[in-house]
Every structure is written in structure tokens, then in C-alpha cells.
Amino acid sequence: MTMPVPAVHEVQYSGLHIKVFHANHGEGLPRHQHLYPHLTMCHSGSCVIRKEGVERIIDKHSKPINLRGGEWHEIEARENGTVIVNIFSEDQY
């Protein structure tokens, strides 16, 4: 089970919300869903993204992952010092 971790930085810029999370192994964003889609990426360390029927490991070399609105998903750090960044615009939904 993924242990929740709060965002260390939250920025709004030109209608976008940017959230940065610093997570250690087993921490991240537990299973949830919302109406809006968002991009997620891993800037340091590695994490696993789980969503309906898919599990994918990403790191700083991976392309950002688009998580669709209305679909459950979970993001969990696989190692200490993982940095996860989410970008979204919930105001459009």
C-alpha cells in the first residue's frame, strides 16, 4: 500500500497547476481518481505508475505519462529520494 506524501511545492502558472513531491520508497500518491487528466513524470529516482490494467516503471529518462481523467491511478516511489512532478489544469473540467 502506498503511503501518502504531501506536495513540497505547488505552483499555479498560466492556468496550470504544478505539484512536486519528494518521496521515499513506498511513498507517493495512493490510488485515487479525479475528473481532469494530468501529466506525471519522475525527475529523480524511479516510481511505478499503476492504473486500470497497467503498471509501468518510470525514471528521469522516461517520457511524461498522461493519466486520463475519471480513471483510477496510483504513483509509488521505488527508491528513496524520488521526485515526482504532476502537471494539470483542473479548471477546464
Side-chain angles (χ1 to χ4, degrees):
M1 177 175 209
T2 303
M3 297 300 297
V5 64
V8 294
H9 302 291
E10 292 188 46
V11 179
Q12 291 185 22
Y13 182 77
S14 293
L16 293 175
H17 297 266
I18 302 165
K19 289 188 176 185
V20 179
F21 302 87
H22 293 180
N24 289 321
H25 179 76
E27 296 177 335
L29 302 162
R31 183 177 170 157
H32 66 284
Q33 68 183 48
H34 33 73
L35 295 177
Y36 54 88
H38 69 83
L39 288 178
T40 192
M41 58 197 93
C42 183
H43 281 246
S44 179
S46 64
C47 60
V48 60
I49 297 174
R50 297 179 188 98
K51 60 182 195 169
E52 297 177 15
V54 177
E55 184 171 296
R56 182 163 174 202
I57 296 171
I58 65 170
D59 63 16
K60 66 182 181 181
H61 302 289
S62 304
K63 292 181 181 180
I65 304 295
N66 183 41
L67 297 171
R68 295 184 296 180
E71 180 178 76
W72 73 262
H73 53 278
E74 177 177 51
I75 305 168
E76 181 179 345
R78 297 182 67 231
E79 55 191 277
N80 292 343
T82 296
V83 178
I84 302 162
V85 178
N86 285 343
I87 301 174
F88 58 95
S89 178
E90 66 182 323
D91 300 334
Q92 295 181 8
Y93 299 89

